Each structure stands twice: as structure tokens, then as C-alpha cells.
Amino acid sequence: MRDLLEAPQLRMRLLHGDAGELDRPVARVCATDMPDPRPFVTAGALVCTGLVWRKDAGDSDRYVGLLAGARVAGVVAGQALHGHVPEDVVLACERHGLPLLSAPQSVPFSRIIEYLAEQAAEVRWRRVQSRADRQRKLLAAVAAGADIETLVMDFAAEQQVSAWLLTSTGTVIAGTDDLAREDIDAIVSTALTAPRLPAVTTGAMRVIQVGAGDRITAWYLVIRPSAPDLDPYGTDLAAVAELYRQRRADRQHLDWELADRFPVPFAEQPGAAGVALVCEIHAAEPDVRIADSDPDAAQRVSETTGLMAVRTALHDALPELVTSIDREGRLVGVTGGTQEGVAALVRERVGRIAPALREIRLAIGIGARQPEETVAGAIAAAAAASTAARDDLAPVSLRVADIDSAVGLLTAVPGGLQRRFAERVLGPVLEYDRRHGAGLVETLGVFLGCEGSWRQAADRMHLHLNTVRYRIGRVEELTGRDLGRLDDRLDLYLAVRTLFGQTAPV
């Protein structure tokens, strides 16, 4: 609005408008004298009117109120009809907070429209020139060997924003400062689930996909403006970042092709790492369109595409990971660190891509190499854990192999088989408790937790010693097991742990 007032060729006169109102941007121009202007105006429009709609002073407040309700930017009133702008029109604009300019009779509305069109064209041209300059600058920096971290920092400084480059698992490739875990989760969620990109997170950060195609293997440029109304242009930097992403992906795929074609047994590698990982890829929903012509093709396509995407995600989460594809089509890898640390990283980083796994499920097993054991032993433990993870229905399920104890060994058995074992062992006891409320399972759990001590179990449950003896005797009768025998006691202990997740089911 201020530009119109300051244009000498338009000779506009300000009748009402403070500094804030004059700084409103004009999105378009609408010329109308219809009694109800709302169908002909839009938000942000400059409304040019010859005041034909005004029959008396009472019309002004109603008409200007309709314009204010449509959130127009301002009003230009012509003087041809009345020879001036009536005072009631000025007062109505003051009341509704609309800036009002008066156009002289010698300036037709068409000239105002032409002027704004020229200004808009000039702004677009400046943007094109500015974008071309940025592109030349970015390409010159790439040719000079600048790394992507420098490019992101330079972009952020020039645009006065904060900026980051992330993978789909939340790994930060470059950035102006540290990101909180909550921000990373919000960014990745937006990147993988938004119907279209660019998109804005709940924290007002703009997410731009780097490159086209699979969102799991893509990078994402994230921009946080320094002011709410600032919308910096980031697609040029995203296009350049794609060169770096593709360069890294090409190197990675070449390494994988060599590893898959000429595999070296992990156990033979000098200084082999101590943690093994096995990832199975399972199709969730075969594509019916493909399945019509080839019943097995949908699953093959889904698993093959998913395998490469998941392999990329795992290497993002575990930079030291070395992988290959075994004969069963599973992703097998070894890495350094601890079993707990690797499991935590996989849960956090790979778990973030779960919303994008629409056609596949991941069953991941992790095993640690024990002293004096080859890596092959750790891989076998991880493979058993991944088999057990198949029973979980989550998009990403993970099991950690713990075969240093009987309880840990049981976790390597599929969940469905574990439950069947426990129900066969304790089924009669559970049914008896259901019918009589005898508390047998609870007493058994406490008894086992007290290492078979009658007195400790009675004290802990506040029961008479003979009551505990009677209940344990009933358990032995119903299960056909003798708690004095080590193997029978182990069966009952594992059954209780399987059903209740702890020694005592309370």
C-alpha cells in the first residue's frame, strides 16, 4: 500500500491509514462496485471502487464492513461520481481498520492495475536473478571442492536462518547448531509421513526433500526462519545437496556389490567386531496389481526394494557396520560397540523409519560375541533372535539374543512357541485358579523367587507355612512336576517368566 502512495505517476492521496496498515502487502487488484463485493474480492486484494454502490451515508459502514470481513489489504476510492470521497466512507474505513487512498479523476483504475503488474513483474525478475546468482555461487563452490557442511553454513548465514541436513533416521549430515531429540523426531515424522513435501513441522521448521524417490533413502534439508513471516528459498541448496547424497550412495552401493559378490566370512576378518546383526525383510501387503500376473513378484519387488532402503538406514544408524546379504536373503552385519548400545541405536534410529514401511516388516536380531567365540557364533545368536522377532506384528521388531542363561535362551524362541510352552506347563494351574481363586500361580512365583524357601515365601505372602506347602503340593499334582527336581523347577520357572515377565505374577 505504501508503494502506491509513493508512486508519483499515480498521484494518490492518503485519506486514512497508519504505518502498520500501509505496510500490508497487496496480493492482487480487484475493481468492483457491486452492492455485495464479497464474491469479487479475495484476501490481500486492493479494492478499487467508484463508489457507485453508495446511495446514502448509511451504505458506507455496511460496504466497508464486508470488505474488512473479506480481509482485503485496502481500498482505493475514485472521485469521478461524487467529485470527492465522502466523509462517511473515510469514517467507515477508520472504524474497520482499512487504509483508504483517493485516486484523482484523471487516473483510471486500469493505470493502477498496470502499475502493480509492472511492480510484480520486477519483483519476479529480481527473484529470478537472485536465484540464478545463488545457483552460480553454489555451483562454483561445488567445483572448488567445498564440502556440504560449508555450503549449509554459508546458506544459513546468507539467509539469516538456521539450517540442517538430515537422513531419514535422524543422522545430522550438517547443521548450524545442535538439534534436540524432540526436534529430530518431529522432522523425521514430517519427512516420512507428510502427503507432500516441502512441509512444515509443528515447530515451524520447513522440511525439503533432497532428491526424488524413496523417502527412506533420501536426505532432508530443514530450515528454521529467524522470523515467523520469513520463508527462505532452499530448493537450490537441496539440489546441490543431492549431488553429495548421490555421490555417497554410489560409493556405498559399490562397496555392497563387492561385498555381496565376493563375501568374506566375518569370522575370518582380523579383529572382527563384537556385535552381530541379522535383519529379515518380510512383505506386509503384496501389490495386487503385480500379483495378478505373477503371484510371487509382489513379494520379491517389495523385499528387494526394502532391503536396499533398510540397508542404507542401518548404515546411517551404525556407521561402522559391515554388511552382506546371505543365501537366505537376510541382511547380516557386524559392528563394534556393545550389544546394548547397538540395540538402543537400532531401536531409536531405525524405529524412526517405521511410518514409511508400508509394504515391508523388519525382524531384527542382535547378538554379542562371547570370549573365545568366533563372530559366527554371534551371527547364529542374532539369527535366532531375528527368527523370534517374526512373531511381532510391529513394522520394526527387534530381539536381543541373550544365551548366557536359560531365560535368555528362551527369548531366542519365537514368542508364539514360548506362550504355547508356558500354557502347556501351567495350563491346569491357571484353570484351577480361575475356577477356585486359590492363588496357586502367585504362590508358585513367590516360592521360586525365594529360591525354594518355604519360610521366606510364607513370610513374604503373610501366610501360614502349611498353607504354602499345601499350595505348592497342589501345583505339583496339577502339573505332574516335582519342585525338588532341578529340571522340573526350571520348567515352571520359565513358564512363569514367560506368562508374567517376572518371577512372581504380581
Side-chain angles (χ1 to χ4, degrees):
M1 294 292 294
R2 189 181 301 278
D3 293 337
L4 286 170
L5 186 62
E6 294 176 352
Q9 64 271 43
L10 298 181
R11 305 196 309 278
M12 293 285 188
R13 188 162 61 94
L14 177 64
L15 299 182
H16 167 71
D18 58 24
E21 293 168 344
L22 290 175
D23 285 336
R24 291 176 184 172
V26 175
R28 61 194 60 83
V29 184
C30 302
T32 180
D33 273 298
M34 297 298 292
D36 185 354
R38 289 174 297 181
F40 310 98
V41 301
T42 55
L46 175 67
V47 179
C48 299
T49 176
L51 306 180
V52 176
W53 47 266
R54 181 185 176 276
K55 304 304 180 183
D56 55 52
D59 292 336
S60 297
D61 190 71
R62 182 194 65 82
Y63 193 88
V64 175
L66 294 175
L67 294 179
R71 304 193 309 279
V72 302
V75 180
V76 174
Q79 303 180 41
L81 182 61
H82 300 286
H84 67 287
V85 177
E87 185 65 21
D88 50 89
V89 177
V90 179
L91 292 176
C93 287
E94 290 178 1
R95 189 175 302 112
H96 292 284
L98 284 182
L100 175 63
L101 304 182
S102 172
Q105 297 186 32
S106 58
V107 177
F109 291 156
S110 60
R111 189 175 302 172
I112 299 174
I113 295 173
E114 290 172 0
Y115 171 79
L116 289 175
E118 291 172 357
Q119 295 301 306
E122 185 176 343
V123 169
R124 287 195 295 271
W125 174 249
R126 285 199 298 266
R127 287 177 179 173
V128 170
Q129 287 292 98
S130 178
R131 182 179 181 185
D133 291 341
R134 283 197 301 270
Q135 289 176 336
R136 283 193 293 269
K137 184 178 179 180
L138 282 170
L139 292 175
V142 173
D147 54 40
I148 190 61
E149 293 86 352
T150 300
L151 295 181
V152 171
M153 295 296 288
D154 288 347
F155 168 83
E158 179 183 333
Q159 298 292 322
Q160 298 181 346
V161 298
S162 297
W164 300 268
L165 195 61
L166 284 79
T167 69
S168 63
T169 65
T171 299
V172 179
I173 304 296
T176 50
D177 49 26
D178 293 335
L179 274 172
R181 179 174 177 176
E182 295 77 15
D183 287 335
I184 294 177
D185 289 341
I187 290 167
V188 171
S189 176
T190 300
L192 297 180
T193 62
R196 61 182 61 83
L197 295 174
V200 178
T201 70
T202 53
M205 291 184 286
R206 189 173 187 230
V207 181
I208 303 170
Q209 183 171 344
V210 173
D214 193 342
R215 292 196 185 185
I216 295 178
T217 58
W219 285 359
Y220 298 92
L221 176 62
V222 181
I223 301 171
R224 179 157 55 198
S226 56
D229 58 344
L230 181 63
D231 187 19
Y233 199 77
T235 53
D236 293 332
L237 178 59
V240 171
E242 170 62 6
L243 299 176
Y244 290 82
R245 189 200 69 84
Q246 192 61 54
R247 188 181 303 168
R248 190 176 82 161
D250 289 344
R251 288 197 300 265
Q252 201 172 53
H253 289 171
L254 179 59
D255 292 341
W256 294 347
E257 185 177 350
L258 292 174
D260 296 342
R261 185 172 299 180
F262 308 106
V264 176
F266 290 118
E268 298 178 8
Q269 294 181 356
V275 180
L277 180 148
V278 173
C279 179
E280 301 181 11
I281 315 291
H282 299 286
E285 291 290 341
D287 191 321
V288 177
R289 293 168 300 178
I290 299 177
D292 286 341
S293 57
D294 183 351
D296 299 323
Q299 181 169 344
R300 288 202 305 271
V301 171
S302 177
E303 292 179 2
T304 302
T305 303
L307 184 63
M308 299 308 292
V310 172
R311 198 173 189 178
T312 300
L314 285 170
H315 277 264
D316 273 342
L318 303 166
E320 297 179 359
L321 185 67
V322 178
T323 60
S324 68
I325 308 299
D326 68 6
R327 293 179 179 177
E328 298 180 29
R330 301 175 302 185
L331 184 64
V332 179
V334 295
T335 187
T338 65
Q339 181 172 262
E340 295 75 15
V342 171
L345 276 174
V346 171
R347 283 193 183 97
E348 177 187 342
R349 301 286 187 84
V350 179
R352 284 177 175 147
I353 68 173
L357 299 175
R358 297 182 179 87
E359 297 180 355
I360 59 174
R361 291 191 303 110
L362 308 183
I364 303 174
I366 294 176
R369 180 167 61 91
Q370 302 302 314
E372 308 302 325
E373 182 183 45
T374 66
V375 175
I379 293 174
S386 71
T387 300
R390 293 177 188 171
D391 277 1
D392 298 337
L393 299 179
V396 179
S397 57
L398 183 144
R399 292 286 185 96
V400 176
D402 179 9
I403 57 175
D404 296 336
S405 65
V407 173
L409 183 60
L410 189 66
T411 62
V413 176
L417 189 58
Q418 291 182 43
R419 288 187 294 275
R420 287 194 292 275
F421 159 76
E423 289 166 357
R424 292 188 65 168
V425 172
L426 286 177
V429 181
L430 294 169
E431 177 61 20
Y432 189 89
D433 273 351
R434 187 186 66 79
R435 291 166 54 191
H436 302 287
L440 299 185
V441 175
E442 177 185 357
T443 304
L444 174 63
V446 174
F447 177 74
L448 293 171
C450 293
E451 299 179 356
S453 169
W454 307 98
R455 175 61 60 188
Q456 289 184 28
D459 291 345
R460 184 173 297 179
M461 298 187 71
H462 306 290
L463 296 174
H464 192 277
L465 181 62
N466 289 339
T467 302
V468 175
R469 290 183 183 276
Y470 169 77
R471 291 183 179 181
I472 294 302
R474 290 295 294 144
V475 170
E476 290 178 326
E477 291 176 12
L478 291 167
T479 61
R481 285 171 165 77
D482 180 0
L483 279 164
R485 291 172 51 89
L486 180 61
D487 53 348
D488 285 349
R489 183 180 293 187
L490 180 60
D491 286 345
L492 290 168
Y493 176 78
L494 293 176
V496 171
R497 284 293 298 262
T498 298
L499 291 179
F500 301 100
Q502 53 188 10
T503 304
V506 293

